[in-house]
Amino acid sequence: MNMETNTIPPIVNEHAEFINSTVNSLYTIIAAIPGSHLALNYVKNAYQNDPFRIALELFLVFFAIRYLMAAKYKPHDNAVKLSDKEIDELVEEWHPEPLVPTLNKFDKFNLEKTPVILGAQGAKPKVVGHAKPLMNLATTNYLNLTASEEIREKAITTLRNYGVGSCGPPGFYGTIDVHMELEKDIAQFIGAEAAIIYAQNFSTISSVIPAFSKRGDILVCDDSVSFAVQKGVQISRSIVRWYKHNDMADLERVLEEIRMDDIMHKKRLTRRFIVSEGLSANYGDIAPLDKLVEIKKKYKYRLILDETNSFGVLGRRGAGLTDLFEVPAADVDIIVGSMANTLCSSGGFCAGSVEIVDHQRLSGLAYCFSASIPAMLAVSASGAIKIIQEQPGLLAELAERAKTFRLTLSHKSLESFVELFSSDPENHAPFFHVRAKPSFLQSRLLENEEDSNEVSREAQEYLWQDVVDECANQGVLISRAKYVVDQERDCPRPGIKISVTIGLTKKENEKAANVVKSAIVKVFTKWRK
């Protein structure tokens, strides 16, 4: 052993002694630095407990040193230097793109045919291009509350006291006493615990849905809901299942499929909602609320009911579907409605339990990030609710006008041309859609349409605009039903939408119905002949 030890070359011993002395000197210098013992203990403990950690930290140190020592990059190092002449030539050749896309023929047609009302809106407004006022069947002023002097005087007084707008979101400084009073009025009118108001009608339902349903939750929706509901469903990023329009048997089929899928794959419990419109914006028929409530209780789902079109016109008191079907408002988890239709104001609301309402004050995007509605419009909405409560005869009068109009357009002379949605004379909905029958369109196919076996959408729009123009020439203002065609899930066929109002007398209502009927017969008879 001693012989082996003595055979180590002297130069190796010298190197070892040098390294050892250097390390000891370095350690002595580092130890002399105040607080260095903490760093040394950290390194020792880190290496002993987690060698990978010290290796990673050393790698990061070396990477930082290399990054700091690397050559710096300057954005314009490789820039091409141009002469003044070359710059001028490039400027002359450059043509900026238009800020908006160029309108096509159909877009220009839509703009040209948009009616312009002179003065205030009403049952018989003045329209540009027409010498006499037209009977207005293109407005949601169903109860003619825009003509109420009582509401107008209150709005003017409020305007003078509060100014035009709140200029702030409700959760900051945009809420004042008239807003809180309106929320109480809506909740009491419907029979709910509480209500919350939004500044925009469209944004209400499209904000309420994503406030409660998130990624991974399940929405079971009617496949014919309005565009606003579709946007809310899309924004929520939830799992969406669709059932046939107002078909309760198909709804149960979908719910049963979901239940069986949960059992087979042992899925975790998530929030689940059924979404339906009370009065369909696209088809004018009424959802069977009693059956919806029964099914949602059976499968333990929550129900979101959009009463944008039914609030203020359906039911004995005008409180919507819960009033019409005599279902307690508490049985519907979330009720959404509009103040921009029957109430002739602006914005929308959501009614439900106190917890449902309070949750939206922090989670309702359209509530948190939009200025609250002007005080004068809040007072107008409260005044409209008061009038509906005090004069229930207005609702019966509106239902009678709608029934008369439906019966007129159900005449035999129109059977081969059009179909009504909804055609049920007992349906109290104040509006309905008129669309061309598929059999009529098939009978008027052109040679270039035989391959597709259908009349193009644009051709149908032109046809219905001829009906609109003919009605206007005879003193009646109606409008084509408008859709965002390229974004609708299942866009309805083109047609006209007729909204009845008690602002017209019975005779004027009957006259307007006959004008629409004769215009359809005249235009459809001559079309493509």
Side-chain angles (χ1 to χ4, degrees):
M1 293 292 293
N2 292 333
M3 292 180 61
E4 292 178 0
T5 303
N6 293 333
T7 59
I8 298 175
I11 190 169
V12 174
N13 289 332
E14 291 177 4
H15 289 168
E17 290 176 0
F18 174 76
I19 293 171
N20 188 38
S21 63
T22 303
V23 170
N24 288 333
S25 300
L26 183 62
Y27 182 81
T28 303
I29 294 172
I30 294 174
I33 301 173
S36 60
H37 66 283
L38 298 175
L40 292 172
N41 290 335
Y42 169 76
V43 172
K44 289 179 180 179
N45 294 333
Y47 177 76
Q48 293 173 357
N49 298 331
D50 190 358
F52 175 76
R53 179 178 177 181
I54 194 69
L56 177 62
E57 290 180 353
L58 287 173
F59 171 77
L60 293 175
V61 169
F62 290 135
F63 177 80
I65 294 173
R66 185 179 183 281
Y67 177 79
L68 292 173
M69 297 179 65
K72 300 297 184 292
Y73 169 75
K74 295 182 180 179
H76 300 294
D77 281 350
N78 300 323
V80 178
K81 294 182 180 180
L82 301 175
S83 64
D84 292 341
K85 182 180 179 182
E86 290 173 327
I87 293 174
D88 292 338
E89 290 176 352
L90 289 174
V91 170
E92 290 178 0
E93 293 174 0
W94 181 71
H95 295 285
E97 293 184 2
L99 295 176
V100 293
T102 304
L103 297 179
N104 57 33
K105 179 182 177 183
F106 187 66
D107 291 333
K108 293 178 180 179
F109 163 76
N110 280 326
L111 284 177
E112 292 172 359
K113 293 299 182 178
T114 301
V116 178
I117 294 178
L118 297 173
Q121 184 196 147
K124 289 188 282 187
K126 293 182 179 179
V127 181
V128 173
H130 299 276
K132 296 181 179 180
L134 304 183
M135 291 183 282
N136 194 354
L137 299 178
T139 175
T140 56
N141 180 29
Y142 304 124
L143 301 179
N144 197 33
L145 295 179
T146 57
S148 171
E149 286 298 327
E150 180 184 348
I151 294 177
R152 185 176 301 172
E153 289 175 5
K154 287 182 178 179
I156 293 173
T157 302
T158 305
L159 174 62
R160 289 171 177 164
N161 292 336
Y162 292 91
V164 176
S166 62
C167 300
F172 191 27
Y173 53 83
T175 298
I176 54 180
D177 55 350
V178 294
H179 294 126
M180 293 186 286
E181 290 171 6
L182 174 57
E183 289 179 347
K184 290 179 181 177
D185 291 341
I186 291 172
Q188 291 175 0
F189 185 55
I190 292 177
E193 289 183 12
I196 182 173
I197 57 174
Y198 288 76
Q200 296 91 21
N201 174 29
F202 184 93
S203 299
T204 304
I205 186 64
S206 60
S207 178
V208 169
I209 292 176
F212 293 97
S213 185
K214 308 293 183 180
R215 187 188 296 273
D217 297 334
I218 296 177
L219 293 172
V220 182
C221 304
D222 187 303
D223 66 1
S224 297
V225 290
S226 66
F227 186 63
V229 179
Q230 294 175 41
K231 289 289 111 177
V233 170
Q234 180 183 353
I235 293 169
S236 73
R237 298 179 296 177
S238 303
I239 299 169
V240 185
R241 296 290 301 274
W242 303 93
Y243 68 92
K244 295 178 182 178
H245 179 54
N246 285 346
D247 189 334
M248 296 301 100
D250 193 58
L251 171 59
E252 286 209 65
R253 177 191 62 81
V254 172
L255 296 178
E256 190 63 29
E257 286 180 357
I258 295 173
R259 189 182 71 84
M260 294 304 298
D261 186 59
D262 290 345
I263 294 173
M264 290 179 61
H265 297 91
K266 296 181 180 179
K267 293 185 177 180
R268 66 183 181 87
L269 184 63
T270 58
R271 287 166 292 201
R272 303 177 178 206
F273 301 87
I274 297 173
V275 183
S276 177
E277 278 187 291
L279 175 57
S280 174
N282 292 334
Y283 294 95
D285 52 351
I286 299 171
L289 180 61
D290 51 348
K291 295 180 181 178
L292 277 171
V293 170
E294 179 184 340
I295 292 173
K296 77 107 178 177
K297 288 181 178 179
K298 176 181 177 182
Y299 289 90
K300 295 180 174 59
Y301 275 62
R302 294 181 176 92
L303 176 60
I304 300 177
L305 183 65
D306 181 15
E307 297 226 53
T308 296
N309 297 290
S310 52
F311 178 74
V313 293
L314 293 185
R316 182 176 53 84
R317 299 181 299 108
L321 255 67
T322 54
D323 184 19
L324 179 66
F325 286 89
E326 298 181 351
V327 172
D331 285 350
V332 181
D333 302 276
I334 301 173
I335 299 175
V336 179
S338 169
M339 299 184 295
N341 291 337
T342 310
L343 301 189
C344 296
S345 180
S346 177
F349 67 85
C350 179
S353 64
V354 173
E355 293 79 10
I356 289 291
V357 168
D358 287 347
H359 176 74
Q360 295 175 68
R361 298 198 189 278
L362 291 177
S363 299
L365 298 181
Y367 180 84
C368 295
F369 301 107
S370 297
S372 56
I373 64 172
M376 58 181 176
L377 293 178
V379 169
S380 299
S382 291
I385 291 175
K386 181 182 177 183
I387 291 176
I388 294 173
Q389 289 176 316
E390 294 177 349
Q391 303 179 38
L394 297 177
L395 299 171
E397 189 177 351
L398 179 64
E400 182 185 352
R401 302 286 172 83
K403 182 177 182 179
T404 300
F405 221 112
R406 280 188 173 86
L407 290 174
T408 302
L409 294 188
S410 298
H411 193 267
K412 290 183 178 181
S413 60
L414 298 178
E415 280 186 358
S416 60
F417 297 133
V418 298
E419 51 188 345
L420 270 61
F421 298 88
S422 158
S423 60
D424 182 8
E426 300 305 321
N427 183 344
H428 292 173
F431 69 88
F432 48 91
H433 293 264
V434 185
R435 299 185 176 109
K437 276 192 172 182
S439 57
F440 169 78
L441 296 175
Q442 286 290 321
S443 67
R444 302 296 173 92
L445 287 174
L446 299 177
E447 290 184 3
N448 59 350
E449 295 172 336
E450 290 180 356
D451 292 338
S452 61
N453 199 34
E454 63 179 3
V455 177
S456 68
R457 187 174 189 90
E458 283 192 14
Q460 294 182 58
E461 295 283 7
Y462 286 121
L463 167 64
W464 283 112
Q465 186 58 49
D466 290 341
V467 174
V468 171
D469 293 341
E470 181 62 29
C471 288
N473 293 334
Q474 297 186 43
V476 176
L477 176 61
I478 61 173
S479 173
R480 287 183 289 124
K482 302 296 179 66
Y483 306 99
V484 187
V485 178
D486 57 343
Q487 295 187 41
E488 290 272 1
R489 179 182 178 273
D490 185 15
C491 192
R493 293 184 284 118
I496 55 175
K497 182 180 179 180
I498 295 175
S499 300
V500 181
T501 175
I502 63 172
L504 301 177
T505 64
K506 290 183 179 180
K507 289 185 178 179
E508 287 173 333
N509 185 67
E510 292 174 2
K511 179 182 178 182
N514 285 311
V515 166
V516 174
K517 183 185 75 172
S518 62
I520 292 174
V521 172
K522 180 179 179 181
V523 172
F524 273 59
T525 302
K526 295 181 178 179
W527 189 59
R528 292 187 172 181
K529 279 291 184 84

